Amino acid sequence: MRAMELPQDIDPHLLAAHWIGGTDLLVEQHRGILRFQSDMIRFASEQGILIVSGNDLTMSQLTASRAMIFGDIRSVSFEEKS
């Protein structure tokens, strides 16, 4: 028996956003930052664009596919590729 079994349909390349406590957002599997301002951050992904809106937004732990966002996060939305 394995310690942790994940469903077969989970794709490790899918964009994932984990909102933590209303003030932190972990974004995984992004494909780059399209826009960074203190009130909006836009991330590219294979599936579309993730938009994080708020006030006093900052980032840390930034890598090629991962970012932690801090600040007054007001909304997280997604624009699917057409």
Side-chain angles (χ1 to χ4, degrees):
M1 185 168 128
R2 295 185 296 186
M4 183 171 132
E5 294 190 23
L6 297 175
Q8 295 286 332
D9 61 347
I10 291 182
D11 184 346
H13 302 288
L14 290 177
L15 179 71
H18 309 277
W19 205 338
I20 305 163
T23 58
D24 304 344
L25 183 75
L26 174 60
V27 177
E28 297 179 300
Q29 302 306 328
H30 70 80
R31 298 291 181 247
I33 299 167
L34 300 173
R35 179 179 178 184
F36 175 70
Q37 293 181 283
S38 65
D39 64 343
M40 180 184 291
I41 304 172
R42 295 170 58 97
F43 292 93
S45 77
E46 290 182 11
Q47 300 80 33
I49 298 172
L50 180 74
I51 303 162
V52 180
S53 300
N55 298 308
D56 301 320
L57 301 177
T58 60
M59 285 192 295
S60 72
Q61 301 177 19
L62 185 60
T63 68
S65 65
R66 182 180 173 137
M68 179 67 86
I69 302 169
F70 301 97
D72 182 16
I73 299 169
R74 297 294 177 153
S75 69
V76 178
S77 59
F78 185 76
E79 292 178 359
E80 198 168 340
K81 279 187 179 177
S82 51

